[in-house]
Amino acid sequence: MRNVLFAGIAIIVAGLIWLTTGREDNTLSLLSSDPLPDFGQYQNVVEKKQAFFAYLQPLVMANNQQVLEHRTRLINIAMAPLNELSRSDLQFTQMLIERYKLDETAEPAAMRAELLQRLDIVPLSLALSQAAKESAWGTSRFARQGNNLFGQWCYEKGCGLVPLQRGAGQVHEVARFASVNDAVASYLRNINSHRAYRDLRNARAALRAQGQPITGLKLATHLTRYSERGQPYVDEIQSMIRFNKLDALDLPAPS
C-alpha cells in the first residue's frame, strides 16, 4: 500500500508547479548566521578546542534535528491515504527528492527506500572531528574567508576560493558559504547524497535497523573517499574522536 501511495505522490507532484525548487526550508535561516569566531586568539589548545566544539555543536545538532523531522514527516506521508495529502505534503516530498538527488525514474518502492536511507543524521563526533581537521580548528583560510569548515569543493569559476597549491589542470575551488550554518547544512547533504558515501549510508541504516547507536567511529570507516589521503585520513578522524572523547556525544539516535 505504501508503494502505491508513493507512486501516487510522484505522479501528482509531477503535475504541480513547484515554485521553490532547490531552496532550503525557512527553518534553516533561523539558525545562527553570526560570523565565525576568531579561534586564532586562543593560545591554550584546550581552550581553543572547547570554544570550537561549543560553537559548532549546536549548529550540527539543529541540522540533524531537521533531518530527523523530515524523515518522520516522510514516513507519515507514505502511510497516509493519498486523498488526504495536502499540496504542501506533495511539494515537500518533491523537495526531498531533488535535494537528495534521487533518480526520479526509479521504481517508487526503491525511491522511497533510498530516500529514507539518505534522510538520517551524521553523528556529532564525526561532524565535529571532520570540521576540526578540515579547518585547522576554525583557523584555516577557507574557514575564515569562506565559512567552509569541511573542505567542500565546488566546480564553477568564482564559486569559492582557489587553493594556493591547486595542481596543474585542476579547476576546483573550495566553496564559499554565506554562513557557517550553510556550510553545516551542505556538509550533511553531501554525506547524505553523494555516491562516494553510499557505504556509509548503508552502514548507518544497518545500525539503525539493529537498534544500535549511530557512531562516528563506525561511520568514519567509510570515509576513505572524503580525502585524497584515503585510509590515513580515516585513521586520523577516528583518532581525533577518541582523543577528544567525542564518542560520548553519540547517544542512541532517535527513531
Side-chain angles (χ1 to χ4, degrees):
M1 182 62 177
R2 292 184 185 180
N3 294 343
V4 173
L5 290 175
F6 205 67
I9 290 172
I11 292 171
I12 294 177
V13 167
L16 292 174
I17 299 176
W18 176 224
L19 299 178
T20 55
T21 297
R23 296 180 186 175
E24 298 294 341
D25 287 355
N26 291 335
T27 47
L28 281 178
S29 64
L30 300 179
L31 299 175
S32 173
S33 59
D34 294 340
L36 182 71
D38 178 14
F39 295 109
Q41 67 179 302
Y42 294 95
Q43 301 302 313
N44 184 289
V45 174
V46 174
E47 291 180 357
K48 178 189 289 187
K49 289 183 176 182
Q50 290 175 340
F52 182 82
F53 291 147
Y55 168 77
L56 189 58
Q57 183 172 336
L59 296 179
V60 177
M61 290 177 66
N63 278 275
N64 269 334
Q65 182 59 36
Q66 186 181 73
V67 169
L68 288 176
E69 290 172 0
H70 286 178
R71 178 185 177 89
T72 298
R73 184 176 176 185
L74 178 68
I75 292 172
N76 291 336
I77 287 173
M79 294 179 67
L82 186 58
N83 61 1
E84 293 183 8
L85 295 180
S86 67
R87 181 185 179 91
S88 174
D89 288 335
L90 301 174
Q91 291 177 335
F92 171 77
T93 302
Q94 181 65 18
M95 178 273 291
L96 292 181
I97 289 170
E98 295 173 358
R99 176 181 293 182
Y100 291 97
K101 304 176 182 179
L102 267 68
D103 178 6
E104 298 190 45
T105 66
E107 290 294 321
M111 186 184 298
R112 177 181 177 278
E114 180 65 21
L115 186 52
L116 282 174
Q117 190 176 62
R118 296 187 184 202
L119 274 170
D120 213 334
I121 64 167
V122 174
L124 264 176
S125 67
L126 188 61
L128 294 179
S129 58
Q130 283 198 274
K133 177 68 178 175
E134 295 289 341
S135 72
W137 299 94
T139 65
S140 72
R141 169 184 167 230
F142 304 122
R144 291 182 289 104
Q145 297 181 18
N147 291 316
N148 190 336
L149 300 184
F150 297 95
Q152 298 173 89
W153 289 4
C154 57
Y155 294 91
E156 295 182 6
K157 186 175 179 60
C159 63
L161 302 167
V162 178
L164 299 179
Q165 299 180 346
R166 187 173 65 179
Q170 293 185 318
V171 298
H172 71 275
E173 298 180 13
V174 178
R176 188 194 303 268
F177 296 96
S179 69
V180 175
N181 184 67
D182 287 351
V184 173
S186 179
Y187 161 75
L188 263 66
R189 190 165 57 251
N190 182 38
I191 293 294
N192 283 335
S193 61
H194 199 288
R195 62 181 179 275
Y197 313 120
R198 180 179 296 277
D199 288 346
L200 181 150
R201 297 191 293 271
N202 288 339
R204 181 177 62 188
L207 290 171
R208 181 175 286 283
Q210 296 162 11
Q212 297 297 315
I214 298 173
T215 70
L217 284 174
K218 292 178 180 178
L219 297 194
T221 303
H222 305 286
L223 285 178
T224 52
R225 295 180 63 186
Y226 197 95
S227 166
E228 294 175 339
R229 298 180 57 242
Q231 187 59 46
Y233 175 82
V234 169
D235 295 340
E236 289 178 9
I237 293 299
Q238 291 177 321
S239 178
M240 289 183 72
I241 292 174
R242 294 189 181 97
F243 184 81
N244 294 287
K245 298 181 173 57
L246 296 176
D247 48 331
L249 300 174
D250 295 336
L251 300 176
S255 299

